[in-house]
Amino acid sequence: MDFPIFHLDFLNNRVLIAIIAILHVLINHALAVGFIPMVTFMEWLGFKTQDERWDKLAYKIMFVGFVITTTIGAMTGVGIWLSSSLINPYSIGSLIRVFFFAWFTEWIVFVTEVVLILIYFLTWKKSNASFRSKGKHILLGVGLSVASWFTMAIIVGILGFMMDTGNWLTERSLVHGFTNPIYLPQLAFRTPLAMVMAGAMGLFLTIVFTKKGEEIRYKALRFLGGWMLFWMPFSLAASLWYYKVIPTLMIGNMAVAVGTQDFQDWYNLLTKFIFGALGVSFIVALASRWKPQQVPAYAYVVPVIVMLGFAGIFERIREFIRKPYVIGNYMYSNGIRVDEYPLLQKEGVLKFATYVKHREVTEANKVEAGKDVFMVACSRCHTTSGINSIVSVFDRMYGGKGQPFPQGAMKNYIKNMHNARYYMPPFPGNEKELDALVSYIAQLQVYPESIEGAQTAGTPVQTTPEEIKQLSERILARKESERNDKQLAEKSNTEANLKQ
């Protein structure tokens, strides 16, 4: 509550992060982590058999990966954390405190990866000059493959921590955060998944860069079909391991994560559809391995669409099921820490929010104060008139458009929504703020408005001596709270060390 609130009312903040993050993961897995070792293997096949057709095809395929990863891939990689910092700076701040050295290492490896991919692609043709230089170039591809995987391995530690913090809540250290229960299963799943996605891209690009009837086309299709078939069992086994370590409450969110609220009843059907689509990719890979001449060219579009779609759905599910937390059992998705709730529910969120217009709810400012409460408590996931609008949520709940919202029932629902819908965090404010929020939503139903974030509307500035005094008191209170937390953590660590 110490940062101005960034908000996109039409698009929804979550959608902004999802677009950037999913795009980056698709590129990272399909055109880097799985792609580089696959291309290096193809280059090695050309080197081993002294068949320059393998080398030429691998170079053309690598050209696609090189262009996309060094442009969109690099920009979306930075864009994920930039957009996340804008929308939920509290969670990013907490993650940096825990994973500072891990993140620092990841950035070093990421820069190394970018440099290596530039060297690898730009020196490819020159490496064909001699046997020795080609060997060195292939070793460079191996090094680049390791660097690509290593960046993913570090980030997966942070992503796993956000789902399940494990025993970090009592043993607050980087090691305990990194070795969270989800880390290894998720890494074990993503690694073969990236290989399978790369294989699907490789099949498609082979069709693009070769002609029907060419011997190298069918050789490459057999190799890439075998590549996918080799990694698929590992991916399946790891997915079962991953599923087993997901906390039970998160599994309960799966239906909404897969089908959204509108289609959650279709969960079983959608699941079958997803597995059916993956089965089609398996058949294409199998046919490519054994009968590539009989597979029509258009069939190779299917595995690309299926694998990219599957990875996109996987990322949405992973992001959604961790709710109501953004960091498991530590911070809710609204950016408020679990241990802050007792104080805020007693004294109100507005009192401790730095960038709001109203500090207290009165009869005169009830609706305007409700707008402030909405921004603090709801705007990370909801809009007033765009995607996942708060009005549309209550419209569905209370009988459709045109029916006035029953404000008493709304208050009861918001108070207890975390019991009915596990992905919703508890309401963080006090009774007056709940009343104000309901009044604001009821007014939105009659007089719709698009709410503006701090990036457009600016922020209220404390100008009077009393406001400056209150602001100072709030800052001191928060710092005192943080100091107490730190002392408790240090005491806990000391006691743990003494026990050892």
Side-chain angles (χ1 to χ4, degrees):
M1 290 180 287
D2 294 330
F3 294 92
I5 298 173
F6 178 91
H7 182 66
L8 296 175
D9 203 65
F10 171 73
L11 185 63
N12 189 314
N13 297 330
R14 287 189 310 161
V15 175
L16 174 67
I17 295 178
I19 291 172
I20 298 172
I22 290 176
L23 184 58
H24 178 73
V25 169
L26 297 183
I27 293 171
N28 172 271
H29 286 25
L31 294 172
V33 175
F35 198 78
I36 302 294
M38 182 190 77
V39 170
T40 304
F41 204 108
M42 292 175 72
E43 185 185 11
W44 176 79
L45 284 174
F47 178 70
K48 181 186 174 186
T49 59
Q50 290 298 297
D51 185 344
E52 64 175 8
R53 295 175 300 175
W54 275 108
D55 194 82
K56 287 181 179 177
L57 178 59
Y59 175 79
K60 289 176 181 175
I61 290 176
M62 186 61 209
F63 172 75
V64 176
F66 170 75
V67 170
I68 296 177
T69 53
T70 53
T71 52
I72 304 172
M75 286 191 292
T76 50
V78 177
I80 290 174
W81 303 113
L82 177 62
S83 58
S84 301
S85 300
L86 279 173
I87 290 164
N88 203 331
Y90 319 101
S91 65
I92 297 299
S94 296
L95 291 172
I96 287 175
R97 289 190 194 99
V98 180
F99 292 100
F100 178 82
F101 287 107
W103 236 318
F104 177 77
T105 305
E106 195 274 336
W107 273 93
I108 297 293
V109 178
F110 171 71
V111 172
T112 305
E113 181 189 358
V114 172
V115 172
L116 286 179
I117 198 170
L118 287 170
I119 297 173
Y120 181 64
F121 181 72
L122 297 177
T123 61
W124 190 303
K125 289 185 177 177
K126 192 178 286 186
S127 73
N128 291 330
S130 69
F131 191 81
R132 187 176 179 183
S133 60
K134 194 61 182 174
K136 286 182 177 178
H137 192 262
I138 292 171
L139 285 177
L140 181 62
V142 174
L144 175 57
S145 301
V146 173
S148 297
W149 180 84
F150 200 57
T151 56
M152 182 183 76
I154 295 174
I155 293 299
V156 167
I158 299 172
L159 297 179
F161 176 80
M162 294 173 77
M163 292 178 72
D164 187 350
T165 48
N167 58 2
W168 175 85
L169 290 175
T170 53
E171 307 286 345
R172 295 193 175 187
S173 69
L174 169 62
V175 173
H176 285 94
F178 208 84
T179 54
N180 59 79
I182 301 224
Y183 176 56
L184 286 179
Q186 186 175 173
L187 184 61
F189 172 66
R190 285 182 184 272
T191 301
L193 175 65
M195 301 298 175
V196 175
M197 291 172 69
M201 288 297 297
L203 286 173
F204 174 73
L205 292 174
T206 296
I207 293 297
V208 171
F209 291 124
T210 59
K211 293 179 181 176
K212 187 176 181 181
E214 279 187 284
E215 186 185 12
I216 189 61
R217 164 180 278 201
Y218 302 118
K219 280 187 174 181
L221 291 177
R222 285 194 189 93
F223 163 72
L224 293 167
W227 175 274
M228 289 181 70
L229 293 173
F230 175 81
W231 288 106
M232 278 180 173
F234 293 103
S235 185
L236 178 63
S239 68
L240 296 174
W241 183 23
Y242 187 10
Y243 186 80
K244 282 189 175 180
V245 299
I246 295 175
T248 306
L249 284 178
M250 291 187 187
I251 297 294
N253 290 335
M254 201 70 82
V256 180
V258 173
T260 73
Q261 282 191 52
D262 292 331
F263 302 102
Q264 58 182 307
D265 293 337
W266 296 14
Y267 173 60
N268 290 331
L269 180 64
L270 290 171
T271 305
K272 289 174 184 172
F273 178 78
I274 291 169
F275 281 105
L278 291 173
V280 172
S281 295
F282 171 75
I283 291 171
V284 173
L286 197 64
S288 301
R289 177 64 187 169
W290 304 110
K291 299 285 183 183
Q293 296 92 337
Q294 297 182 13
V295 181
Y298 62 79
Y300 289 102
V301 178
V302 176
V304 175
I305 294 173
V306 168
M307 294 313 302
L308 295 185
F310 174 74
I313 291 172
F314 163 71
E315 290 303 323
R316 169 182 158 74
I317 292 172
R318 182 188 57 75
E319 283 286 322
F320 190 90
I321 61 173
R322 74 174 177 222
K323 290 184 175 186
Y325 303 105
V326 66
I327 300 175
N329 295 310
Y330 175 74
M331 181 178 287
Y332 287 112
S333 52
N334 53 23
I336 298 174
R337 295 202 312 267
V338 174
D339 61 2
E340 291 178 313
Y341 260 66
L343 174 66
L344 299 179
Q345 288 179 326
K346 180 182 176 185
E347 301 195 20
V349 292
L350 297 182
K351 181 179 178 182
F352 298 98
T354 304
Y355 295 98
V356 294
K357 191 174 178 181
H358 305 91
R359 304 285 175 209
E360 191 176 349
V361 179
T362 65
E363 279 304 313
N365 72 8
K366 186 189 283 187
V367 173
E368 280 296 305
K371 184 177 180 179
D372 283 338
V373 175
F374 174 84
M375 287 298 280
V376 172
C378 315
S379 68
R380 301 300 184 285
C381 302
H382 289 285
T383 67
T384 59
S385 59
I387 297 173
N388 201 24
S389 151
I390 194 74
V391 177
S392 66
V393 169
F394 284 105
D395 243 349
R396 283 196 300 270
M397 196 175 296
Y398 295 118
K401 293 181 178 178
Q403 300 296 323
F405 294 153
Q407 296 191 26
M410 287 173 68
K411 285 178 65 176
N412 285 331
Y413 168 74
I414 294 173
K415 261 187 194 177
N416 300 291
M417 61 187 172
H418 55 288
N419 295 319
R421 298 173 189 260
Y422 299 131
Y423 49 85
M424 292 295 294
F427 178 68
N430 59 24
E431 281 290 331
K432 280 188 173 181
E433 290 172 341
L434 174 58
D435 198 33
L437 176 63
V438 168
S439 297
Y440 176 61
I441 296 171
Q443 176 167 294
L444 280 176
Q445 185 191 23
V446 182
Y447 303 105
E449 71 164 348
S450 180
I451 201 167
E452 293 180 330
Q455 76 279 10
T456 307
T459 57
V461 178
Q462 288 73 30
T463 54
T464 67
E466 183 60 27
E467 286 176 331
I468 293 172
K469 182 183 173 186
Q470 289 176 0
L471 176 62
S472 301
E473 289 174 351
R474 287 197 301 277
I475 293 172
L476 287 173
R478 292 291 298 275
K479 284 186 176 178
E480 180 65 24
S481 172
E482 290 174 0
R483 190 159 44 243
N484 290 337
D485 285 349
K486 188 176 179 182
Q487 287 173 349
L488 283 173
E490 288 174 350
K491 185 180 176 184
S492 174
N493 286 336
T494 305
E495 289 174 354
N497 291 334
L498 287 174
K499 285 179 184 175
Q500 291 175 355

